[in-house]
Amino acid sequence: MKTVILALVTISLLACTKNTSQPQMANAKFADNYIAPVTHKTTTAHYNQSGANHTLLAFKQSNSKTATARYEKLLYKQLSADTLIIKIRSIQTFGIQYKGDFSFTDNHLNVTLTQLPKLIKRKNSTTDTIYSTPTYNAVYEFTYTINHIRALPQTISLNGKIIN
């Protein structure tokens, strides 16, 4: 009985061992759908690739404040798991709603603000689209929540202008 058990254990161990002469290959589905990340020992450049399906989970605009600040400023930046939260103070046109968006290029995050139009519906069912012209500026705080981020971006810019 002991020899039978010993033989079964030996056969199962031999069946489970890996044959090192076979080349290791990723299965076809994995190889077709994913690109292996580029890793660098001294830098995280190219770590947040634009093809990584980053998603803007949330965009929040604060109420306007008196324009006491003279420039844009990065107020808050935190990477938790794969979600990046940034808060930016910016001077924009008073009384306007904005739409936030972003793009990654070579570990550079560019967040953008686009003015949303006011839609006015007339009694005859036609709609007018109105973009406000600047009368005076106010200070807003914009919060972006972006996921699928692997590392903090080296630089962050707002509408193409680098902010600190």
Side-chain angles (χ1 to χ4, degrees):
M1 181 73 169
K2 288 183 181 179
T3 55
V4 172
I5 294 174
L6 184 59
L8 289 173
V9 169
T10 306
I11 292 171
S12 64
L13 286 175
L14 288 174
C16 294
T17 59
K18 190 176 195 180
N19 186 356
T20 57
S21 64
Q22 294 177 343
Q24 294 181 351
M25 298 231 170
N27 75 32
K29 186 174 183 181
F30 178 83
D32 291 339
N33 293 331
Y34 297 97
I35 298 173
V38 177
T39 57
H40 301 282
K41 292 183 179 179
T42 58
T43 180
T44 59
H46 306 291
Y47 199 58
N48 290 314
Q49 295 292 327
S50 59
N53 297 327
H54 305 298
T55 308
L56 182 62
L57 294 178
F59 172 75
K60 184 179 175 185
Q61 175 180 338
S62 71
N63 293 328
S64 61
K65 301 175 184 175
T66 307
T68 55
R70 297 185 186 265
Y71 55 91
E72 281 74 24
K73 183 175 182 180
L74 181 64
L75 299 174
Y76 179 77
K77 170 175 65 172
Q78 178 187 3
L79 181 63
S80 176
D82 71 340
T83 303
L84 175 65
I85 301 171
I86 59 171
K87 186 180 233 181
I88 298 171
R89 179 182 65 209
S90 179
I91 302 165
Q92 300 293 328
T93 305
F94 174 77
I96 302 296
Q97 290 292 356
Y98 292 91
K99 175 187 172 197
D101 204 1
F102 71 98
S103 63
F104 268 105
T105 308
D106 295 332
N107 209 23
H108 172 80
L109 174 63
N110 182 36
V111 294
T112 57
L113 292 171
T114 307
Q115 179 182 355
L116 292 175
K118 290 184 181 181
L119 300 175
I120 299 174
K121 192 168 188 173
R122 295 182 180 208
K123 290 181 183 178
N124 64 2
S125 298
T126 61
T127 303
D128 291 336
T129 304
I130 299 174
Y131 288 94
S132 298
T133 56
T135 53
Y136 60 94
N137 293 332
V139 175
Y140 292 95
E141 291 178 0
F142 300 99
T143 305
Y144 293 79
T145 305
I146 306 168
N147 86 353
H148 302 297
I149 304 295
R150 296 183 214 151
L152 285 172
Q154 291 175 347
T155 57
I156 298 175
S157 64
L158 175 65
N159 293 334
K161 181 181 176 187
I162 295 177
I163 56 175
N164 297 330

